[in-house]
Amino acid sequence: MGCNRNCGLITGAVIGAVLAVFGGILVPVGDMLIEKTVKKEAVLEEGTTAFKNWVKIDTDVYRQFWIFDVQNPEEVEVHSSKIKVKQRGPYTYRVRYLAKENITYDPETHTVSFLQPNGAIFEPSLSVGTEDDTFTILNLAVAAVPHLYPNSFIQGIFNSLIKKSKSSMFQNRTLKELLWGYTDPFLNLVPYPVTTTVGVFYPYHNTADGVYKVFNGKDDISKVAIIDTYKGKKSFYAVFGAEINLKGIPVYRFVLPSRIFASPLQNPDNHCFCTEKLLSKNCTLYGVLDISKCKEGKPVYISLPHFLHASPEIAEPVEGLSPNEEEHSTYLDVEPVTGFTLQFAKRLQINILVKPARRIE
Ligand SMILES: *[C@@H]1O[C@H](CO)[C@@H](O)[C@H](O)[C@H]1NC(C)=O
Ligand SMILES: *[C@@H]1O[C@H](CO)[C@@H](O)[C@H](O)[C@H]1NC(C)=O
Ligand SMILES: *[C@@H]1O[C@H](CO)[C@@H](O)[C@H](O)[C@H]1NC(C)=O
């Protein structure tokens, strides 16, 4: 790979955002009796209003994607120039329309566990184009090789397969292929069994997300539906940001604390996310989180979109980014009496780390 000044570069590939505005407008009433009823009906337990709404959300939930289309692939490959990107989107899918499955209660901890089956339906009216729109993006399989196989002998073999399949550092793919999967021509030539399908969210369809474990609110209504664990691990949490007014309703806005994306120097809890001592300048860079452990060792990093709140060095090799708080932050607006989430925006950028490799041309 043509990789001199771009070594260690992290390119943003996809921005995903979940946007939802929940219908039910609630009038906050101070009256004790009403508050008591609300508390009873808001508990996640068979028979309550909240439960019916929670098992199968009857509000539309959308996931939107913005893709960074690379404008100068040849220049980057040959001259290792800065990557010029153009953001294209939104492309919108309806998600979370399938009912939760395997719902089990634990009366001792007041929690409910469940699986969320995955499904996504393209929504043309909320998109700038179709699922067949084409983008020039990083070749995910080629980019992952140096990271997965540091051995230079194996890299040499893979290099010949990459050439034979006419693959290079960049590729053209449709939105559908990029998100949900395509057969990679280079991996198809690998002479031993490997998964040849590649995609940012592959596998997704016919899979389920979870197991999630949430509080059902029976002991403390303020905790209702707050995720306790995800796949047995403690989840990210949000902290109180400000009291704001949402269409006349006072709500509490919760935001992701900046220490989630902090460098291990600032937040020692993040030390296990720093696996690249050299590229991360001894773990002092911040604003990106290495999640390769959750992706079978593939060099996947998450950040806020456009590297919002990240070290300036990280965005330096990329041209065309414009981070701003309003469009790119993650938040959750909660009505304080019922604990219902009235509006949320979860915004993340998925990045692939490109490492220098002596034996990959
Ligand atoms: C969910 O329930 C089905 C049938 O009840 C069972 O076969 C499956 O193993 C369960 N899945 C998990 C992850 O518990
Ligand atoms: C991608 O498409 C562009 C424009 O159609 C073309 O010039 C370029 O060669 C293609 N790149 C690859 C890697 O196929
Ligand atoms: C990282 O730390 C090592 C050992 O403490 C030191 O030798 C090296 O110079 C440091 N590298 C950078 C980029 O700061």
Side-chain angles (χ1 to χ4, degrees):
M1 268 177 282
C3 180
N4 294 325
R5 58 181 302 236
N6 280 307
C7 294
L9 145 82
I10 299 167
T11 30
V14 179
I15 300 178
V18 186
L19 293 172
V21 178
F22 289 86
I25 299 295
L26 297 157
V27 185
V29 207
D31 190 278
M32 275 307 285
L33 192 70
I34 294 178
E35 203 165 299
K36 226 168 147 187
T37 316
V38 167
K39 282 189 180 169
K40 192 157 149 268
E41 283 301 309
V43 169
L44 291 178
E45 203 174 42
E46 210 125 13
T48 65
T49 315
F51 184 78
K52 269 182 256 144
N53 240 294
W54 174 84
V55 171
K56 187 172 182 303
I57 302 171
D58 63 6
T59 314
D60 292 343
V61 179
Y62 297 106
R63 183 169 288 182
Q64 300 193 296
F65 299 98
W66 286 261
I67 315 292
F68 285 122
D69 198 15
V70 177
Q71 306 294 300
N72 59 344
E74 286 88 8
E75 273 173 59
V76 176
E77 274 177 52
V78 181
H79 308 295
S80 294
S81 346
K82 277 194 176 192
I83 293 198
K84 284 200 189 92
V85 295
K86 197 171 128 206
Q87 174 180 296
R88 288 166 60 192
Y91 293 91
T92 305
Y93 287 83
R94 198 153 86 80
V95 294
R96 296 288 162 102
Y97 53 88
L98 295 167
K100 297 179 172 68
E101 285 175 2
N102 294 31
I103 299 170
T104 50
Y105 299 91
D106 183 344
E108 252 161 48
T109 55
H110 297 292
T111 56
V112 185
S113 303
F114 64 91
L115 288 174
Q116 174 69 61
N118 287 321
I121 301 169
F122 189 65
E123 189 56 62
S125 67
L126 297 173
S127 305
V128 294
T130 72
E131 276 193 292
D132 296 318
D133 284 7
T134 304
F135 302 88
T136 302
I137 50 157
L138 193 67
N139 188 317
L140 306 177
V142 171
V145 166
H147 198 90
L148 291 175
Y149 305 96
N151 179 301
S152 66
F153 175 71
I154 296 179
Q155 281 188 8
I157 296 171
F158 280 171
N159 188 40
S160 64
L161 298 179
I162 290 170
K163 278 186 172 165
K164 197 168 160 200
S165 66
K166 298 196 165 53
S167 301
S168 61
M169 192 176 173
F170 293 97
Q171 61 176 346
N172 292 335
R173 290 285 165 192
T174 64
L175 176 75
K176 204 181 193 168
E177 290 176 322
L178 169 63
L179 296 180
W180 315 120
Y182 55 89
T183 303
D184 186 81
F186 146 59
L187 292 176
N188 225 3
L189 295 180
V190 174
Y192 56 85
V194 288
T195 311
T196 54
T197 308
V198 180
V200 176
F201 295 99
Y202 177 83
Y204 184 80
H205 296 283
N206 306 317
T207 64
D209 219 11
V211 176
Y212 287 97
K213 195 176 192 186
V214 302
F215 292 107
N216 78 347
K218 191 122 187 167
D219 59 333
D220 178 358
I221 194 64
S222 69
K223 291 202 294 194
V224 69
I226 289 179
I227 295 174
D228 179 31
T229 60
Y230 174 64
K231 290 182 180 168
K233 295 187 183 79
K234 282 283 171 196
S235 70
F236 279 175
Y237 49 92
V239 294
F240 179 76
E243 196 171 336
I244 64 159
N245 190 300
L246 180 68
K247 295 181 180 157
I249 305 169
V251 296
Y252 290 170
R253 172 158 291 190
F254 291 85
V255 294
L256 280 185
S258 56
R259 60 181 173 275
I260 281 181
F261 288 110
S263 78
L265 221 60
Q266 299 158 310
N267 178 7
D269 286 350
N270 283 353
H271 76 94
C272 58
F273 290 121
C274 180
T275 51
E276 282 290 339
K277 293 275 185 297
L278 199 62
L279 299 179
S280 70
K281 306 229 163 96
N282 281 351
C283 309
T284 59
L285 295 188
Y286 53 89
V288 292
L289 215 51
D290 176 1
I291 57 161
S292 56
K293 296 241 162 41
C294 324
K295 297 282 167 196
E296 296 111 42
K298 290 172 202 136
V300 181
Y301 287 66
I302 53 171
S303 66
L304 290 175
H306 293 234
F307 297 119
L308 178 69
H309 301 321
S311 297
E313 292 98 320
I314 289 171
E316 199 271 332
V318 188
E319 259 178 50
L321 300 178
S322 52
N324 73 76
E325 186 79 31
E326 198 173 308
E327 280 182 79
H328 302 139
S329 66
T330 282
Y331 64 83
L332 190 73
D333 291 339
V334 178
E335 200 288 311
V337 176
T338 57
F340 283 169
T341 300
L342 298 189
Q343 171 175 285
F344 71 88
K346 184 176 94 186
R347 299 177 175 130
L348 288 175
Q349 175 172 304
I350 297 172
N351 312 283
I352 309 290
L353 174 69
V354 179
K355 273 215 295 193
R358 258 169 299 140
R359 302 297 301 275
I360 309 280
E361 287 160 28

